Amino acid sequence: MKNNTAITILLIFLVVMNGILLFLVLKKPERQKRPPRSFISHQLGFDEIQQQKFNKIDSEHQSRMRGMDGRSKDLKKYLFLGLGDSTFTDKKLDSVSILIGALSKEKEIEIFNYFKEIKKVCNEGQQSKLEAILSKALQHGPNRPPPPHDR
């Protein structure tokens, strides 16, 4: 009888531990929260006409970024599927890496042009606010410690 009790307790313990493990493995990590798209227009105080122009610029930008993200994901998938492929040569690796780099460049240019277009919608005061928002975003906040190589 004691043997059955010990096995039952051990079994319950293992089931609980497996449940905790599954929860930790399947739980999606929280992504860094991005401000909503309306953050910029709200901070800049766009009027109705500016808001309509901003919405159009933002919608087109999001569409282009989704396309680039999809291509990037496909290239990376192809690249890492090559790990198990004996015919995947260094030449293929270089080619795919160059394509991923070019796509990364394209994305950076798209982001720059996105903010350039938003700036055209702004009046002078809003342009200053936009520059301050971008400057703060690039610093990742005012209390960011300097990089290790600057210490």
Side-chain angles (χ1 to χ4, degrees):
M1 188 88 142
K2 285 185 178 184
N3 201 12
N4 286 342
T5 306
I7 290 174
T8 303
I9 292 172
L10 180 61
L11 184 62
I12 291 171
F13 174 75
L14 289 174
V15 167
V16 170
M17 293 308 291
N18 280 334
I20 291 170
L21 180 63
L22 282 173
F23 174 77
L24 293 174
V25 169
L26 297 177
K27 180 182 144 191
K28 294 183 180 182
E30 269 194 51
R31 300 176 84 188
Q32 180 180 358
K33 293 186 179 185
R34 231 181 85 187
R37 290 183 185 136
S38 62
F39 173 80
I40 292 174
S41 62
H42 177 73
Q43 289 294 312
L44 298 177
F46 282 160
D47 62 28
E48 192 173 320
I49 294 170
Q50 288 175 312
Q51 185 65 47
Q52 289 173 358
K53 290 178 183 178
F54 170 77
N55 289 343
K56 183 177 187 285
I57 292 167
D58 188 63
S59 176
E60 291 169 355
H61 168 72
Q62 293 301 323
S63 177
R64 287 188 295 268
M65 290 299 288
R66 274 192 297 278
M68 286 184 269
D69 285 342
R71 290 193 315 257
S72 179
K73 184 178 179 181
D74 290 344
L75 286 168
K76 289 176 182 178
K77 184 177 180 180
Y78 175 76
L79 181 68
F80 287 99
L81 287 175
L83 285 172
D85 185 357
S86 60
T87 63
F88 197 85
T89 64
D90 286 344
K91 189 173 182 177
K92 284 183 184 178
L93 173 64
D94 287 343
S95 296
V96 175
S97 297
I98 288 170
L99 290 172
I100 291 170
L103 195 52
S104 180
K105 176 184 175 185
E106 190 178 332
K107 287 170 75 173
E108 293 301 322
I109 291 170
E110 170 59 33
I111 293 167
F112 176 83
N113 287 332
Y114 170 69
F115 286 109
K116 187 176 176 182
E117 289 300 310
I118 291 174
K119 190 173 181 179
K120 289 179 185 177
V121 172
C122 298
N123 61 34
E124 279 187 39
Q126 291 168 329
Q127 287 178 0
S128 298
K129 285 182 185 178
L130 177 63
E131 289 170 9
I133 290 168
L134 293 175
S135 177
K136 187 174 181 178
L138 290 172
Q139 294 174 7
H140 298 291
N143 298 325
R144 182 178 179 213
H149 65 286
D150 287 349
R151 291 181 188 168

